Amino acid sequence: MELISVEGGRSLSGQLTVQGAKNSVLPILAATILSGDVCRICGCPRLRDVDTAVEILQHLGCRAHWAGGDLVVDTTQLTSSEIPEELMRKMRSSVMFLGAILARCGRADMSYPGGCELGPRPIDLHLAALRTLGAEVREEGGNIHCRGSSLQGTEVVLNLPSVGATENAILAACGAEGVTTVSNAAREPEIVDLQDFLNKLGARVQGAGTSTVVVEGKQPLHGCEHRVISDRIVAATYLAAAAAAGGDIRLEGVDWRHLSTVTNALGAAGCRIQSGDGGIRLQCREPLRGIHPVRTSPYPGFPTDAQAVLMAALLRSRGTTVFVENMFENRYRHVAELLRLGADVRIEGRVAVVCGVSRLQGARVRATDLRGGAALVLAGLQAEGTTQVEAIHHIERGYEDLPGDLVQLGACVRRIVT
């Protein structure tokens, strides 16, 4: 069994360069299929989910290899348009391959995707977008069968600004005749990164970062080299870690504009934040205080992926903080594990009330999902004694080396095998 062991009580200091964004690179890897050529993804994070995406590409007949910190993908050959269930179940973002395969092959077959169990995350919006573009979509026995050899550009109106549905609609629209307008599109920075990558391939996509994205389909595409943006949720995790443990850290290569809601919350809690073009610096010298209610919402609102790590930072704050989770039903699964450390968190439906306690005590806990697992490590940083976190495969889906990065900042954290 593999664990992350945390010795609490050490403040953090130092400088860290944040890894490439998981939520950028996964749709970009799917988008390489459209090129039918060689693409070099610079600064690609080495994650379990990236490994799964590479397995999917290889199953489809593509080739991929690592060149230092870059991932080189050759999608010249595509021998299959089907993804087996065992690969689909490994991660939620596997559904992103649907639009890309359909655009290139005119057909796609796969099962429903897996991923963290955060409650119902139906892919109805994805399938509705493809149907609007002219695809025939059939669902049976837990499988999805898409046929669309002559997709037509049109207006795709999303009922909700779903990130995945926006990305799938954009990818499919690249293979459609004419112009497609995606309305009520998600506005996340990762969608802007996908647009930048597609345009380097020769596509014509504009409007990402706003609620309307326009795609001129059927452009001649080719390979390219692209560097993914830094991971704003990983950055949020390390900022929350320094807030939890105290100290003075600087994160390099981070766009502070992508993290404004998180830094505002940490500033309100008593941290000193300095943001600029080069990165973000956080200083925390005094105990944190409770803050105004934190309500998760689509970008540019407070990110649901940062909710758990901010909660962990506030476990020993002076006062009370209310969290309202508006995105997923099961985003509080980590709370039961935080209670083992002595936290005072009460849940009522989508609301969690964090009452600061004077001390936390290390314990053996279990990661329930990616961000909840990171939150347990952050709680361990401020607990007395040793905290051991099990089921760290969840954490490794989104963090290249969480223990190593924290050690670089002065924490006593180890990845151990028992």
Side-chain angles (χ1 to χ4, degrees), residues 25-47:
V25 78
L26 296 178
I28 284 173
L29 288 175
T32 61
I33 290 172
L34 299 175
S35 73
D37 202 348
V38 179
C39 298
R40 189 182 187 99
I41 313 302
C42 303
C44 181
R46 295 200 176 205
L47 309 169

Side-chain angles (χ1 to χ4, degrees), residues 7-66:
E7 296 291 335
R10 295 194 182 189
S11 62
L12 304 186
S13 65
Q15 183 171 300
L16 196 66
T17 298
V18 176
Q19 69 184 57
K22 164 185 177 286
N23 291 335
S24 270
V25 78
L26 296 178
I28 284 173
L29 288 175
T32 61
I33 290 172
L34 299 175
S35 73
D37 202 348
V38 179
C39 298
R40 189 182 187 99
I41 313 302
C42 303
C44 181
R46 295 200 176 205
L47 309 169
R48 282 180 179 256
D49 277 6
V50 170
D51 291 341
T52 299
V54 169
E55 287 184 65
I56 290 174
L57 287 167
Q58 292 172 335
H59 174 84
L60 295 172
C62 307
R63 293 183 294 176
H65 70 272
W66 288 95

Side-chain angles (χ1 to χ4, degrees), residues 10-14 238 241-243 245-249 285 381 406 409-412:
R10 295 194 182 189
S11 62
L12 304 186
S13 65
Y238 295 143
D248 182 352
I249 70 166
R285 302 299 189 191
L381 292 175
L406 291 173
L409 294 175
C412 184

Side-chain angles (χ1 to χ4, degrees), residues 347-390:
I347 300 174
E348 184 66 40
R350 291 182 177 269
V351 176
V353 181
V354 179
C355 300
V357 296
S358 60
R359 62 185 291 271
L360 298 173
Q361 180 61 51
R364 195 174 180 110
V365 293
R366 185 176 184 84
T368 56
D369 57 78
L370 169 55
R371 307 305 173 185
L376 296 178
V377 175
L378 267 57
L381 292 175
Q382 53 189 312
E384 298 176 9
T386 303
T387 298
Q388 292 185 325
V389 183
E390 301 177 356

Side-chain angles (χ1 to χ4, degrees), residues 10 36 76 85 145 210 276 280 287 297 302 308 317 355 368 380 387 413 417:
R10 295 194 182 189
T76 305
E85 181 180 7
H145 306 283
T210 75
I280 302 174
S297 62
F302 191 91
S317 61
C355 300
T368 56
T387 298
V413 183
V417 178

Side-chain angles (χ1 to χ4, degrees), residues 15 52 73 81 114 129 136 144 159 164 203 229 232 234 246 268 291 311-312:
Q15 183 171 300
T52 299
V73 181
S81 59
E136 177 188 333
I144 305 166
N159 292 336
I229 61 174
R232 61 193 172 98
V234 170
I291 60 175
M311 180 183 292

Side-chain angles (χ1 to χ4, degrees), residues 4 8 15 34 42 58 60-61 93 97 101 103 127 130 153 191 212 270 276 292 304 313 315 373 379 390 403 411 413:
I4 292 178
Q15 183 171 300
L34 299 175
C42 303
Q58 292 172 335
L60 295 172
S93 295
F97 284 86
I101 295 173
L127 304 185
L130 300 182
I191 297 174
T212 303
H292 50 77
T304 181
L315 293 178
E390 301 177 356
V413 183

Side-chain angles (χ1 to χ4, degrees), residues 11-281:
S11 62
L12 304 186
S13 65
Q15 183 171 300
L16 196 66
T17 298
V18 176
Q19 69 184 57
K22 164 185 177 286
N23 291 335
S24 270
V25 78
L26 296 178
I28 284 173
L29 288 175
T32 61
I33 290 172
L34 299 175
S35 73
D37 202 348
V38 179
C39 298
R40 189 182 187 99
I41 313 302
C42 303
C44 181
R46 295 200 176 205
L47 309 169
R48 282 180 179 256
D49 277 6
V50 170
D51 291 341
T52 299
V54 169
E55 287 184 65
I56 290 174
L57 287 167
Q58 292 172 335
H59 174 84
L60 295 172
C62 307
R63 293 183 294 176
H65 70 272
W66 288 95
D70 304 341
L71 182 61
V72 180
V73 181
D74 183 349
T75 63
T76 305
Q77 298 295 322
L78 200 68
T79 58
S80 176
S81 59
E82 173 268 336
I83 303 176
E85 181 180 7
E86 59 266 26
L87 290 178
M88 288 296 296
R89 285 189 174 276
K90 284 188 176 183
M91 69 172 182
R92 180 71 185 178
S93 295
S94 56
V95 74
M96 206 56 55
F97 284 86
L98 184 59
I101 295 173
L102 181 65
R104 178 162 173 186
C105 301
R107 60 182 294 159
D109 299 278
M110 57 186 63
S111 70
Y112 285 97
C116 290
E117 298 177 9
L118 302 177
R121 291 191 283 177
I123 61 171
D124 296 0
L125 294 178
H126 300 245
L127 304 185
L130 300 182
R131 289 188 175 107
T132 301
L133 290 167
E136 177 188 333
V137 182
R138 182 165 49 90
E139 302 173 72
E140 63 176 20
N143 295 310
I144 305 166
H145 306 283
C146 290
R147 302 293 181 269
S149 57
S150 56
L151 301 177
Q152 296 294 318
T154 184
E155 182 178 16
V156 176
V157 181
L158 300 177
N159 292 336
L160 296 170
S162 159
V163 174
T166 299
E167 292 168 337
N168 242 333
I170 292 171
L171 294 174
C174 287
E177 291 282 355
V179 177
T180 297
T181 301
V182 183
S183 299
N184 197 27
R187 299 163 56 188
E188 272 72 2
E190 294 79 15
I191 297 174
V192 178
D193 203 23
L194 175 62
Q195 172 181 273
D196 291 344
F197 174 75
L198 290 170
N199 288 340
K200 288 180 182 178
L201 295 182
R204 293 183 180 175
V205 185
Q206 59 181 339
T210 75
S211 58
T212 303
V213 180
V214 179
V215 183
E216 297 181 43
K218 289 291 187 182
Q219 302 298 316
L221 304 181
H222 49 75
C224 76
E225 182 175 302
H226 179 77
R227 179 170 295 276
V228 296
I229 61 174
S230 63
D231 196 309
R232 61 193 172 98
I233 304 304
V234 170
T237 301
Y238 295 143
L239 292 173
D248 182 352
I249 70 166
R250 178 175 173 80
L251 302 182
E252 293 290 333
V254 179
D255 190 330
W256 62 271
R257 296 168 296 182
H258 299 165
L259 283 160
S260 60
T261 54
V262 175
T263 54
N264 286 344
L266 291 171
C271 299
R272 182 184 178 191
I273 311 286
Q274 295 172 285
S275 301
D277 292 340
I280 302 174
R281 181 183 181 186

